[in-house]
Amino acid sequence: ALLMVDIDNSEIFRIVRKGTIIRMKTLIFNGSPRKNGDTASLLRVFKEAIGGDIQQIDAYFCKIKPCSDCRYCWTHHGCAIRDEMQRVYTLIDEADNIVIASPIYFSELTGALLNILSRLQYLYVSKTFRATDTLTEKRRNGVILLAGGGDGAPTRAAETAACLLHQMDAEVIGTVCSHNTNRLPACQDTAAKANIRTLAKKILSHI
């Protein structure tokens, strides 16, 4: 089964059409191998602040292979690799918010996260080479959460995350980085946590 975390802890609702009310849906791509590390700390704050229905894909524990560049999607609908990513494509389409969260490894997102998100190639190819929109046209908020303790800058990782969110038709509305985790764990980074809560309020204010 696809490894996700379902969280239902809010009474926040989103009206999508006259007479129909559904809970706001958030999809998280977590690039950390540590279940209680700095990235998890940032995500915990965001989940508590955003509420609604939350599903999380853990890159190090899910069963999703990287894109093999077989080019099946150049001429066919769908991806030739049949694994948990098939369900993720549906979750992307349904999401109101998409979060990319990752530690910073050598100024970049983690390799495991890049592996699974390489499968967004299907979305890109469908639109570019087959002129087919595979995602429903709707507003999707993109959020980037980064944690790092080395001497590299978060700029490259943030740019990569923004590129990936663009492929999922999500508009980046904010990036938060806790970048001194060698000295100050993310769970103690009051500025980063405050920025995350502000970002969640920004999303909720547009409901």
Side-chain angles (χ1 to χ4, degrees), residues 73 98 185 194:
C73 60
I98 301 178

Side-chain angles (χ1 to χ4, degrees), residues 17-175:
R17 62 180 71 88
K18 186 180 293 185
T20 301
I21 301 177
I22 65 171
R23 298 176 70 81
M24 186 170 59
K25 296 182 179 181
T26 297
L27 175 62
I28 296 172
F29 291 96
N30 174 29
S32 176
R34 300 176 62 207
K35 295 183 179 181
N36 293 296
D38 293 306
T39 303
S41 294
L42 299 180
L43 281 173
R44 193 174 302 114
V45 175
F46 182 80
K47 292 172 186 176
E48 292 173 353
I50 200 67
D53 294 336
I54 302 176
Q55 294 185 315
Q56 180 171 310
I57 313 301
D58 294 309
Y60 278 85
F61 305 105
C62 65
K63 296 179 181 178
I64 299 176
K65 297 179 180 178
C67 175
S68 62
D69 196 23
C70 69
R71 305 197 176 187
Y72 174 89
C73 60
W74 285 39
T75 55
H76 298 80
H77 176 74
C79 178
I81 303 174
R82 299 297 171 179
D83 58 11
E84 294 175 350
M85 191 66 188
Q86 304 302 324
R87 171 62 176 150
V88 175
Y89 291 133
T90 300
L91 295 176
I92 293 171
D93 188 53
E94 295 175 348
D96 300 296
N97 310 308
I98 301 178
V99 180
I100 292 181
S102 179
I104 301 171
Y105 288 1
F106 298 102
S107 299
E108 190 52 278
L109 305 177
T110 61
L113 184 58
L114 291 173
N115 270 348
I116 66 169
L117 290 179
S118 69
R119 296 284 293 281
L120 298 178
Q121 180 76 352
Y122 159 60
L123 302 181
Y124 169 77
V125 166
S126 296
K127 184 181 297 185
T128 304
F129 295 105
R130 294 192 290 107
T132 301
D133 286 324
T134 55
L135 298 178
T136 305
E137 185 175 347
K138 60 182 288 188
R139 176 187 174 90
R140 295 182 183 86
N141 300 305
V143 174
I144 302 169
L145 303 179
L146 302 172
D151 55 3
T155 307
R156 186 184 304 166
E159 289 175 347
T160 300
C163 175
L164 293 167
L165 287 166
H166 174 71
Q167 299 308 319
M168 294 182 276
D169 288 350
E171 179 184 353
V172 178
I173 63 165
T175 301

